[in-house]
Each structure stands twice: as structure tokens, then as C-alpha cells.
Amino acid sequence: MKVFIDADGCPVVNETVFLCREFCVQCIIICDTSHQIEREGAETLVVEKGADSADFKLVNLLSRGDIAVTQDYALAAMGLSRGARIINQNGMEYTDGNIDSLLMSRFIAKKIRNSGGRLKGPAKRTAEQTERFEKKLREMLEEQR
């Protein structure tokens, strides 16, 4: 088992690397050339800057039983199809049961924006979100042992 981080814009890189070290699990950070992120105890793979280049690299490396940390619904859907477990930065696990509705909500939001509508952005990140993430990732790592 490996843990992959879609690190471009990921607020829980440090927490993920820390838990991977605690569980002696290989951690791989994937980012593009504009976000070179390195942490002790993790391997960093840097891909060329481009639309979804880090996402495609991550998906191609995923195997059944791996875990990926991402907030990208499309990446989550592709990861699920490869048998991986996917978690977002707030501790929500993407599953076959919730991914379709998440993708649909993303599609609807894009249609609203493309037609000139405006949507409220995400709220400021809270400590509770990070705590939920750490708790859920710890659960997943324990289950995958």
C-alpha cells in the first residue's frame, strides 16, 4: 500500500506525511513544476505544468489498496475505478455511492458559472476539518494494514 497526495493546493500535506511515517507507509507527493513540494519522509514526483498532468500521473500510479488524498472529483472517480481508496482534505471518503452526485454537482456549478452566474467560494479552513481528515486517514491506514 502507498499513499499518494495530489499536492497542488492540498492543505494537509504535512498531516498526511506524518501519519504515513507513523504507519511506515510509503508516501508520494505529486505536484507540477509551479508547486514543487518536498517533505522529509516522502518522495516527491514533479510533473510538467499542464492541465491535469499531476492528476493523470497520480491515477496511473494507483493500484488496488492504495490511498489517494485529493479534492478533485474527477481524479477521485478515476482512482475509485482502479480500486484505490480516496479521501479529501476534510476527511470525506469518496465512494462508489457518493461520487456520481458529487460529479453532478460539479457539472451543475460549472454550468451556472459558464452562464454568468456566481457561486459562493469555499469557507475558510478550520481546525475541525483538519482533525476530521487526520481521524479518517488514520482509520483508513489501520484498515489497510
Side-chain angles (χ1 to χ4, degrees), residues 3-21 27-30 37-39 42 67-72 86-92 94 125-138 140-141:
V3 174
F4 294 91
I5 305 171
D6 178 16
D8 297 342
C10 180
V12 291
V13 172
N14 292 336
E15 292 82 0
T16 305
V17 172
F18 176 82
L19 284 169
C20 287
R21 276 192 277 178
C27 183
I28 302 167
I29 298 170
I30 301 179
I37 300 166
E38 296 191 18
R39 297 292 188 277
I67 297 173
V69 179
T70 186
Q71 58 187 329
D72 184 305
I86 317 295
I87 182 175
N88 80 358
Q89 74 280 1
N90 300 328
M92 180 186 74
Y94 299 102
R125 184 158 184 82
T126 67
E128 290 80 22
Q129 289 170 310
T130 300
E131 289 171 15
R132 279 195 312 270
F133 170 79
E134 289 174 332
K135 181 180 178 190
K136 183 62 178 179
L137 182 57
R138 181 177 296 280
M140 293 168 77
L141 289 167

